[in-house]
Amino acid sequence: MNVLKRIQLRRFSNEKLQSVQPQLDESFLPMNFSDPNQLARYLKKKVLAHAPGRFVVIEKPYGISCVGQLQENGGVFGNSVRDERKTEKWAGTIKARTEEQIGVTISDSLKFLRKLLREPQLSFCTGLKRYLSGAIVMPCNEKDANILKDCIRRMSADVEPPFMYNALAITVGRPEKTSGTITGFSTFRNVGKHKEYIFEERKVTKRAKSGKYAVEGHMSYRVLDTKNNISLIDLSINKFARHLPRLMLSHMSAPILGDTIYWRRLANVDGVPELISAGNKGHQIYIPPILSKKIGVPSRALLTSLPMYFHVYNTVFEDVGGYEAHGLVAAAKPPRHFIKMLDTLDLLLAYQKFKNQSEKPVEDPSMPVAKTSGDVIF
């Protein structure tokens, strides 16, 4: 068969598939970036605050990695996982994925951003996971980079709310309680013939913690609204290491919409969502019927076609030196595709109510300001 014939058949096959299976509307999907220069120009337009010579606060898009690969000796904060095999290979940076899988990253765009923002020492310090959107703070000198690192180390160790990261998640199902605090640890454990991250709601042992077999975390949450077994949850957490918030939410029978790993742990039992143990297979995954109806895509396709609807609306740095009044609060509005999903699932009103309440003046000036509007306070 010649090349032209194969192309024609492939085109016919794709067109036939598209005519049978409706495609996900682009408004439900995040933006894509083809090269570092394009990303840098976009980020320049999304600068939320700029203290010349000290910090630049930018809006990180969903699906964009800050670094995109494992760093030598764990990067900024060292290894969080005990793994001798990785340690042996660390003669330099380990690339966990191919460049095609990683895509363009914030780090890739740094050389362009430095010129666009006239900050020759602009650097990446720490940011947000690929599956998160929100504001990140980039230092413009080594001293402020170390200040940010020290602040994050202190705040990530907090065991009582309020915590450093405040986020919104659209979830499948809802926790049993409307609000509360959950404490526990995540670890990588054998489940059948493979390993998965699991969460245990109990205090981690000193041996597991010091040996880096487990990462302990704390999260407070409240359900803002639930419609058709889909919820909007406001949560505050002290760290994102080892999939902690994703595991915590799925542990409470409320996995994040679009989380292809942990959504699968919610089984459909006679039309009711029921949490199952990690590693179980052969069950029917619970997919709220309203999703397919509202979005216009077959239920099964939704498991792999949706982004993760998880947005950090503000990050609080308690003390960055020179801005002690409220510290530094880096805030960003949810992205377009997040708002679109809220509107589609009849949860937009709950978000607007939450946003209005969050932006009311704080009576106690000693309390951090909870911002969602995209403002950044120094």
Side-chain angles (χ1 to χ4, degrees):
M1 186 183 295
N2 61 44
V3 176
L4 181 59
K5 186 70 173 178
R6 284 200 299 269
I7 292 173
Q8 289 173 338
L9 284 174
R10 190 180 299 119
R11 184 179 299 162
F12 172 76
S13 177
N14 289 340
E15 288 174 355
K16 184 177 180 181
L17 181 63
Q18 289 176 7
S19 66
V20 173
Q21 180 173 302
Q23 299 298 299
L24 189 66
D25 190 296
E26 287 187 1
S27 60
F28 291 107
L29 299 173
M31 291 186 65
N32 287 318
F33 300 90
S34 58
D35 63 77
N37 194 12
Q38 180 200 21
L39 176 60
R41 293 195 302 270
Y42 173 84
L43 294 176
K44 182 180 183 294
K45 296 176 183 178
K46 295 294 181 177
V47 170
L48 301 170
H50 187 182
R54 292 208 64 189
F55 303 110
V56 175
V57 184
I58 63 173
E59 183 180 321
K60 187 194 88 67
Y62 174 91
I64 299 296
S65 293
C66 288
V67 178
Q69 55 197 15
L70 296 176
Q71 297 297 287
E72 183 177 0
N73 297 325
V76 175
F77 300 111
N79 302 328
S80 66
V81 182
R82 183 182 179 87
D83 192 333
E84 288 82 359
R85 289 174 300 175
K86 287 181 181 178
T87 304
E88 290 173 3
K89 294 180 181 178
W90 263 317
T93 300
I94 299 174
K95 290 187 177 180
R97 294 172 294 177
T98 64
E99 290 184 4
E100 289 77 12
Q101 290 173 313
I102 294 169
V104 63
T105 69
I106 301 290
S107 294
D108 293 336
S109 68
L110 266 179
K111 64 180 180 181
F112 301 104
L113 269 176
R114 289 174 183 139
K115 293 179 180 179
L116 291 171
L117 300 177
R118 298 181 180 178
E119 291 287 2
Q121 296 184 59
L122 185 70
S123 66
F124 171 78
C125 173
T126 186
L128 297 172
K129 300 290 186 182
R130 182 188 185 101
Y131 57 80
L132 294 165
S133 54
I136 63 173
V137 182
M138 303 178 74
C140 299
N141 62 77
E142 187 176 353
K143 179 181 177 181
D144 282 318
N146 290 328
I147 287 173
L148 286 177
K149 293 174 192 177
D150 289 340
C151 180
I152 294 167
R153 287 190 186 100
R154 290 195 310 271
M155 296 190 69
S156 65
D158 287 348
V159 297
E160 296 290 337
F163 299 121
M164 184 174 188
Y165 303 100
N166 301 288
L168 292 170
I170 303 175
T171 68
V172 179
R174 60 172 290 148
E176 183 179 348
K177 297 180 180 178
T178 303
S179 63
T181 301
I182 182 171
T183 294
F185 65 89
S186 66
T187 185
F188 209 45
R189 188 167 295 172
N190 287 318
V191 288
K193 296 181 179 180
H194 66 285
K195 286 188 173 184
E196 288 187 23
Y197 283 117
I198 66 164
F199 175 78
E200 293 195 20
E201 193 176 354
R202 61 184 177 89
K203 192 169 180 62
V204 66
T205 65
K206 288 184 179 180
R207 180 179 178 277
K209 193 172 183 179
S210 62
K212 297 183 179 178
Y213 296 104
V215 171
E216 188 174 38
H218 314 274
M219 183 177 81
S220 61
Y221 70 92
R222 61 186 178 116
V223 180
L224 300 177
D225 197 7
T226 301
K227 295 283 179 66
N228 300 298
N229 263 339
I230 300 174
S231 303
L232 176 62
I233 297 179
D234 172 31
L235 61 95
S236 178
I237 193 161
N238 66 334
K239 64 184 72 170
F240 284 95
R242 214 81 68 88
H243 293 189
L244 262 170
R246 295 164 62 184
L247 285 163
M248 288 172 164
L249 287 167
S250 63
H251 176 75
M252 294 189 291
S253 299
I256 300 169
L257 179 64
D259 190 341
T260 56
I261 298 176
Y262 303 117
W263 185 358
R264 295 175 183 276
R265 295 182 185 175
L266 202 62
N268 186 337
V269 180
D270 297 327
V272 178
E274 184 173 311
L275 188 67
I276 62 171
S277 301
N280 282 357
K281 296 181 179 180
H283 60 280
Q284 182 183 2
I285 300 167
Y286 178 78
I287 303 173
I290 195 68
L291 270 178
S292 180
K293 180 180 178 181
K294 289 274 191 178
I295 298 175
V297 174
S299 292
R300 193 70 188 178
L302 292 173
L303 286 170
T304 55
S305 60
L306 294 176
M308 201 182 307
Y309 290 88
F310 198 6
H311 172 73
V312 178
Y313 63 82
N314 75 37
T315 304
V316 181
F317 297 83
E318 285 183 341
D319 179 11
V320 292
Y323 303 108
E324 290 86 357
H326 293 296
L328 189 160
V329 181
K333 297 177 182 178
R336 172 187 59 93
H337 70 278
F338 193 102
I339 295 296
K340 171 69 175 180
M341 186 60 79
L342 288 176
D343 191 22
T344 301
L345 299 177
D346 302 319
L347 290 168
L348 187 57
L349 187 61
Y351 165 70
Q352 290 172 339
K353 182 179 179 181
F354 159 77
K355 180 176 178 289
N356 292 336
Q357 290 174 343
S358 299
E359 293 175 353
K360 288 181 180 178
V362 179
E363 295 181 4
D364 183 356
S366 66
M367 293 296 290
V369 178
K371 283 283 183 178
T372 62
S373 64
D375 297 329
V376 179
I377 301 174
F378 285 102

